[in-house]
Amino acid sequence: MAAFTELVFSGVQPTGNLHLGNYLGAVKRFVEMQDRDAQCLYCVVDLHAITVWQDPEALRGQIREVTAAFLAAGIDPKRSIVFNQSQVPQHAELAWVFNCVARLGWLNRMTQFKEKAGKDRENASIGLYDYPVLMAADILAYRATHVPVGEDQKQHLELTRDIAQKFNTDFAGSIAAHGHGDAFFPITEPLIGGPAARVMSLRDGTKKMSKSDPSDNSRINLTDDADAIAQKIRRAKTDPEPLPSEVAGLKERPEADNLVGIYAALAGITREEVLRDFGGAQFSAFKPALADLAVTSLAPIAGEMRRLTADPGHIDAVLADGSARAETIAAQTLDAVKDIVGFVRRGPSLQAVR
Ligand code: AQP
C-alpha cells in the first residue's frame, strides 16, 4: 500500500431505501475525500444490516445497490477500496476483542439503540445492542484516522475513540514491547459537518430523514425518478413565511432550514449564499429551483445505478477485489492485536522482548 498521511474509513448499511440524507451526509463526502492524501475504504456494512431481520434475497440486492450507489456517485474502486464487510472476517474477530474492552455502562448510554429497540427492548437482537462495538472494529481494523459520517453517528464515533483509548491503556506494556510505541490504535477523527450533516424528513423537519420511515414522501430515494423527486419537494412541509435573508432567521423554522440546507449541500455552497439569492422569496419560488437542482444532481446517479445493477457480476467483482485488498490491511492489524493481547497464533508471531 502506498504511504498516505490519512486513512479514511466509512460504511453504509444495505438496508434499502438509500436516500438523500445518506447521499449528502455520507456518500457525496466519500467522493470528495478521494482528493485528499488518503487511502479511502468504503464498506457496505452487511453485518450491521442483519442486526434487524433482513430477507436474504432482498439483502443480496441491497448490498449490490449500495455498491452501485457508491460507484454511480463517483467513488473510484481503483483509488478507493470498495467492499462488503462480511467478506473480511477480521471485522467480526476484532469486534470480539473489543467486546472485552468496552464496558456495559458505555453501551447502555447509546441513544441509537434506545431509539431502534423502542419499547420492545427485550426482543431486540444482541447484535443491535453491540452495533457500536462492531462499528469500532470496522474503523480500527484499518487504524483509520478519519471517518466521514452524518451527525447521527457522533456518539458511536465517541465510543470508538473510548475503545481505542482503553485498549491502548490496558495493553500499554505489551504495545510498547511489540514495537508499537505508546499507542497502537489512533484516536480517530470524526468528520461531521457541512450543511447536510443531518438531513431531516420532508414531512417533519424535527425528524431525521430515514430509510425506515413508513412514509416514502418523507425522503428522496436515490432511485427516485425526476417526477418523483419534483413531486416530493413540491409536497414537502413548509411554513407560510417567505425565506429570511439571514441564517439566524431559520431558527425555529426546521422545515425551511432543512430545505435551505439541502439546496446548499447540493449546490456546494453555504446556507448564507443560498439566502443571498433566495432571501425574501416564497416557497412557491424556492421549491421549483430546489427541485431542478435536485433532479440535475440526482438523476444521473439514479441512471448510473440502474445501469450498474443490471450487471451484478461486475458489482460482485468490484466487491471481491476490494475485499481482498481490505483483508490484506485488516489481517496485519489482527496479527498485531493477537500478539499484543497475548494469543498464540499461526505464523511468525512477534515475541515480546522484556
Ligand atoms: N438524515 C441523514 N442526514 C445526514 N446523514 C445521514 N446518514 C443517515 N441518515 C442521514 C448517514 O448516512 C451514513 C449511512 O447510514 P446508515 O445507512 O449506515 O445508517 P442509518 O443512520 O441507520 O440510516 P437511516 O436512514 O437513518 O436508517 P434507519 O431508518 O434504519 O435508521 C451514515 O454516515 C449516516 O450518518
Side-chain angles (χ1 to χ4, degrees), residues 6 15 25 33 94 120 132 146 148 168-169 173 210 232 236 257 270 334 345:
E6 295 175 352
T15 39
M33 300 296 299
L94 185 58
D120 198 11
H146 294 81
N168 288 341
T169 308
S210 152
K232 285 177 181 180
D257 185 44
T270 61
L334 260 292
R345 65 178 174 88

Side-chain angles (χ1 to χ4, degrees), residues 17-323:
N17 296 335
L18 211 59
H19 55 70
L20 185 67
N22 299 129
Y23 175 64
L24 294 177
V27 181
K28 184 169 186 281
R29 298 172 62 230
F30 298 174
V31 178
E32 291 158 5
M33 300 296 299
Q34 295 184 121
D35 294 328
R36 290 165 70 134
D37 180 17
Q39 170 68 72
C40 300
L41 291 108
Y42 297 126
C43 185
V44 184
V45 288
D46 46 12
L47 298 178
H48 283 283
I50 61 161
T51 56
V52 296
W53 193 81
Q54 303 292 327
D55 174 77
E57 215 32 66
L59 178 61
R60 248 185 298 279
Q62 287 158 194
I63 292 167
R64 292 181 180 128
E65 185 174 273
V66 173
T67 312
F70 282 177
L71 304 182
I75 293 174
D76 174 355
K78 296 245 168 346
R79 278 160 78 197
S80 297
I81 298 178
V82 174
F83 70 108
N84 60 314
Q85 196 183 18
S86 61
Q87 292 204 57
V88 182
Q90 287 80 7
H91 288 241
E93 216 177 342
L94 185 58
W96 181 259
V97 176
F98 286 169
N99 275 334
C100 303
V101 172
R103 303 292 92 179
L104 212 53
W106 299 357
L107 283 188
N108 285 340
R109 285 195 285 277
M110 295 295 114
T111 53
Q112 186 170 297
F113 173 75
K114 291 178 194 165
E115 282 159 19
K116 292 204 168 176
K119 291 203 173 72
D120 198 11
R121 230 193 229 217
E122 295 288 308
N123 222 3
S125 75
I126 293 168
L128 189 66
Y129 183 73
D130 203 30
Y131 182 113
V133 175
L134 178 59
M135 182 165 155
D138 299 336
I139 295 164
L140 295 174
Y142 306 95
R143 300 207 273 169
T145 56
H146 294 81
V147 178
V149 278
E151 204 176 80
D152 58 325
Q153 294 300 324
K154 189 165 184 258
Q155 194 184 34
H156 289 166
L157 257 300
E158 278 159 13
L159 188 98
T160 298
R161 291 159 65 93
D162 289 343
I163 290 175
Q165 187 79 62
K166 189 166 188 307
F167 183 95
N168 288 341
T169 308
D170 287 356
F171 296 101
S174 186
I175 288 169
H178 284 93
H180 299 293
D182 55 7
F184 180 69
F185 286 118
I187 307 303
T188 307
E189 274 308 314
L191 298 173
I192 302 171
R198 192 174 177 81
V199 176
M200 309 309 274
S201 157
L202 297 180
R203 308 301 305 158
D204 178 352
T206 63
K207 265 174 54 187
K208 188 181 84 134
M209 184 177 285
S210 152
K211 296 169 182 153
S212 55
D213 194 314
S215 163
D216 193 57
N217 282 327
S218 69
R219 65 180 161 262
I220 293 173
N221 301 305
L222 287 192
T223 49
D224 282 345
D225 62 21
D227 286 348
I229 295 172
Q231 196 183 68
K232 285 177 181 180
I233 291 176
R234 217 170 29 246
R235 288 186 182 163
K237 186 176 168 202
T238 45
D239 57 44
E241 303 298 318
L243 284 173
S245 42
E246 303 281 338
V247 171
L250 292 170
K251 227 172 151 217
E252 316 291 336
R253 297 181 62 188
E255 283 85 15
D257 185 44
N258 190 35
L259 295 185
V260 170
I262 291 173
Y263 190 105
L266 285 171
I269 57 177
T270 61
R271 278 183 168 77
E272 283 81 359
E273 286 169 317
V274 178
L275 294 180
R276 216 171 290 150
D277 289 342
F278 290 98
Q282 298 290 341
F283 283 104
S284 54
F286 180 64
K287 279 179 168 181
L290 176 59
D292 281 351
L293 178 61
V295 168
T296 322
S297 314
L298 301 178
I301 297 176
E304 184 62 3
M305 279 175 73
R306 271 193 295 279
R307 194 187 69 76
L308 288 162
T309 45
D311 184 2
H314 170 66
I315 293 189
D316 294 2
V318 167
L319 291 174
D321 174 66
S323 299

